[in-house]
């Protein structure tokens, strides 16, 4: 029997979904991180293996995976893709996979395909990091943002946390105005003095997730009317909208194509932040339509595996998958 | 015979100067890095030992070091000072030093003391990183900036390089306007595609000095009329002036006290950048006076060792040291 598989690998979790020719979800598995830049090749390979093993456990004997799509965070350049393709060759020995239909790309493509069901649109991802990716009706794609925390991640949880820390030290040393973030952040981190922030931040090494973990404090302070926190939120939301606008312009998208979906904990779960994004998007790109994702990224990845093998994605498959998506956690 | 010693330890080089009671420079030594956060305690201890050994080599037998001041980059909090003081106890066994007169502080204090000869004023440091430190006539001191590259280093070479890279990726992905920096930076780094910047920047790990090494390109592009590069320079210079203003305000300095001196390769050696700083300083703090440093930071450190032992610094000592400073490289 023939199946189609997708892997969505991120900085902390890797998911795998497998469905059959009718769109019945037949397998689902999870594993650890699969961003090979951050976690290394060995861990990434291990996560791919484990996620696939867990998903294949429920397949019938004699199964065959007709198409496999690996959607992985940190896969940006052609060099990244080559490295991951080589790395994943060992999967052919462990599973029955059509070797001609293995594809690798960044995780944004799978998130967009899931969100729109494979039609044109733009996805904005804002969790620990941030990026934006779009596809138009002419088969063209473009990405903005996603250049990592030193140059980018604008509008992400990391950005909110980092900007909050900047506001704290500048408030303390006299360059910036008062903000309740200073008290709140020291309290949350259990620190007595501002100078101790440097130890927390730099030693032994920068923990980006810990900085991103300050984002909820920023949202709270903004809700409590702290104008500095409100500015940080506004700037972050604006940066996300700037990414969307850049992608829409690069792809010469028609108004009907500018369906925007979002992924990632910050923009999807923090209502205050999502409203700020929606407001600035309305100003900057009035023709854009914010939609709820039709399917989660991991099913988007499996759909890309399906499309690689079959050429197209039928509405029946999409509808069937949509009914089952609640099965996944 | 009695001597006074100062150590100026930075991210790459540590210097030590020793002078006698009349202000004759009797010893000078150099060694490797002494920022214990970056280089580690072992390397820092080794650099302190080597710099002192080299400086003591030319002292007469039976010498005694009456006062020793260790001015080290990265010493910010009281915890840092305690750690360095403990670490430097082993020096007492190797050299004849009055144990009651060993002091530790950040490198800015020594730079200021050298620059002004121990009177009130403000020093702005802008090399790979940046910070600003001032002392007023009432014995109060304040520091702004210097919170490390994740939160600060505004107006430093690292900042210029990082902002240039941000401009490149945003120019490329459609968020920002055209800049010749994109071509110039790829060319300088020997890269074909913008995506390769990420490998260069993040793998295996961030090289801040390499990012700071792009600063001269930014200055060149600004001189060649690239408006993006000019904006980066303007923003950077402004950030330095903001630090100065914050320090002057926190210390309630009188106009006569606001003598500003500078240290670090960027603000001291890049004439275009220095002019930009001077211009924005003139706008933001018209009562400030930009002065040339009277003595280099390492002699400033030795002066602090002298003051610790003797209580005051006489004009004769200052004048004598000033005549000899060309002996140091």
């Amino acid at each position: 029997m023939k199946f189609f598989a997708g892997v969505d690998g991120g900085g902390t979790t890797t998911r795998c979904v497998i469905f059959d020719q009718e769109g019945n979800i037949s397998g689902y598995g999870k594993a650890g991180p699969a961003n090979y830049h951050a976690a290394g090749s060995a861990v990434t390979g291990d996560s791919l293996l484990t996620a696939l093993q867990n998903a294949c456990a429920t397949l019938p004997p004699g199964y065959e995976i007709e198409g496999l799509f690996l959607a992985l965070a940190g896969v940006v350049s052609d060099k990244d893709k080559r490295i991951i393709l080589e790395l994943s060759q060992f999967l052919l020995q462990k599973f029955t996979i059509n070797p001609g239909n293995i594809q690798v790309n960044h995780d944004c493509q799978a998130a967009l395909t899931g969100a729109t069901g494979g039609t044109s649109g733009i996805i904005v991802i804002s969790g620990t990091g941030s990026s934006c990716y779009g596809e138009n009706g002419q088969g063209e794609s473009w990405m903005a943002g996603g250049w990592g925390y030193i140059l980018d991640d604008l509008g992400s949880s990391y950005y909110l946390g980092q900007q909050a820390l900047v506001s704290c030290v500048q408030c303390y040393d006299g360059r910036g105005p008062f903000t309740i973030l200073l008290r709140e952040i020291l309290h949350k981190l259990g620190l007595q003095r501002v100078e101790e922030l440097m130890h927390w931040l730099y030693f032994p090494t920068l923990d980006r997730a810990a900085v991103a973990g300050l984002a909820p404090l920023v949202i709270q302070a903004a809700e409590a009317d702290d104008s500095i926190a409100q500015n940080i939120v506004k700037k972050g939301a604006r940066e996300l909208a700037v990414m969307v606008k850049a992608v829409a312009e690069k792809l010469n998208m028609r108004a009907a194509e500018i369906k925007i979906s979002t992924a990632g904990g910050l923009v999807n779960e923090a209502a205050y932040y999502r409203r700020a994004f929606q407001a600035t998007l309305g100003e900057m790109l009035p023709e854009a339509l914010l939609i709820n994702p039709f399917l989660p990224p991991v099913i988007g990845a499996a759909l890309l595996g399906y499309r690689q093998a079959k050429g197209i994605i039928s509405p029946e498959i999409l509808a069937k998958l949509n009914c089952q998506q609640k099965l996944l956690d």
Side-chain angles (χ1 to χ4, degrees), chain A:
Chain A
M1 227 179 140
K2 294 193 168 169
F3 294 88
F4 308 91
V7 172
D8 176 41
T12 50
T13 311
T14 298
R15 291 178 173 83
C16 176
V17 153
I18 302 181
F19 64 77
D20 68 16
Q21 304 206 58
E22 275 82 46
N24 301 300
I25 291 178
S26 319
Y28 178 54
K30 283 169 80 174
N35 181 332
Y36 90 104
H37 293 314
S41 299
V43 171
T44 300
D46 204 49
S47 295
L48 296 178
L49 176 65
T50 306
L52 265 162
Q53 258 169 351
N54 292 342
C56 286
T58 49
L59 297 190
Y63 75 88
E64 190 189 338
I65 295 174
E66 250 314 85
L68 168 63
F69 191 93
L70 304 174
L72 304 184
V75 170
V76 183
S77 64
D78 291 341
K79 187 178 165 193
D80 291 329
K81 289 182 200 171
R82 276 198 306 278
I83 290 172
I84 296 292
L85 257 186
E86 263 173 49
L87 171 72
S88 53
Q89 288 306 301
F90 81 100
L91 298 172
L92 296 173
Q93 287 144 28
K94 306 263 180 185
F95 308 96
T96 316
I97 303 173
N98 181 337
N101 289 336
I102 301 191
Q103 272 188 299
V104 176
N105 207 352
H106 51 72
D107 50 347
C108 305
Q109 194 189 2
L112 177 64
T113 302
T116 64
T119 62
S120 63
I122 297 174
I123 185 109
V124 187
I125 301 181
S126 169
T128 301
S130 69
S131 57
C132 180
Y133 172 79
E135 291 178 2
N136 65 13
Q138 290 81 57
E140 296 161 330
S141 63
W142 192 254
M143 192 157 173
W147 301 95
Y149 75 106
I150 295 285
L151 306 184
D152 219 326
D153 278 352
L154 301 172
S156 67
S157 291
Y158 173 79
Y159 175 81
L160 261 54
Q162 186 262 0
Q163 288 291 303
L165 290 167
V166 168
S167 302
C168 289
V169 301
Q170 295 197 344
C171 163
Y172 172 74
D173 75 17
R175 284 177 293 169
F178 174 81
T179 167
I180 59 169
L181 286 169
L182 181 54
R183 188 189 64 205
E184 298 295 326
I185 286 181
L186 290 183
H187 179 73
K188 167 158 179 160
L189 302 179
L191 303 177
Q192 304 296 318
R193 297 174 51 83
V194 181
E195 284 84 356
E196 296 169 23
L197 277 176
M198 289 183 76
H199 279 270
W200 176 80
L201 186 59
Y202 295 100
F203 312 115
T205 181
L206 173 68
D207 180 351
R208 269 175 287 164
V211 174
L214 300 174
L217 270 186
V218 180
I219 305 286
Q220 277 166 36
E223 287 175 324
D225 244 15
D226 184 82
S227 66
I228 296 294
Q230 286 171 339
N231 275 339
I232 294 174
V233 165
K234 208 177 283 178
K235 277 198 305 178
R238 193 172 183 284
E239 291 291 354
L240 294 183
V242 167
M243 287 184 202
V244 174
K245 196 166 166 27
V247 168
E249 281 174 358
K250 280 272 181 185
L251 294 174
N252 293 307
M253 290 175 104
R254 293 168 290 108
E257 284 185 325
I258 313 182
K259 283 177 293 189
I260 317 292
S261 193
T262 56
L266 184 62
V267 70
N268 275 5
E269 284 153 38
Y272 184 94
Y273 194 68
R274 190 176 177 82
R275 273 197 300 275
F277 170 62
Q278 207 168 343
T280 183
L281 190 67
E283 284 164 30
M284 285 181 58
L285 210 66
E287 63 269 44
L289 179 70
L290 198 59
I291 62 164
N292 286 322
F294 188 69
L295 293 166
V298 63
I299 301 188
L303 278 172
L304 288 167
Y306 181 85
R307 191 165 70 186
Q308 169 75 6
K310 294 284 190 181
I312 52 153
I313 302 169
S314 72
E316 293 78 22
I317 291 274
L318 284 175
K320 196 131 187 198
L321 288 168
N322 187 248
C323 296
Q324 301 164 82
Q325 63 172 308
K326 293 210 179 68
L327 302 176
L328 317 180
D329 62 357

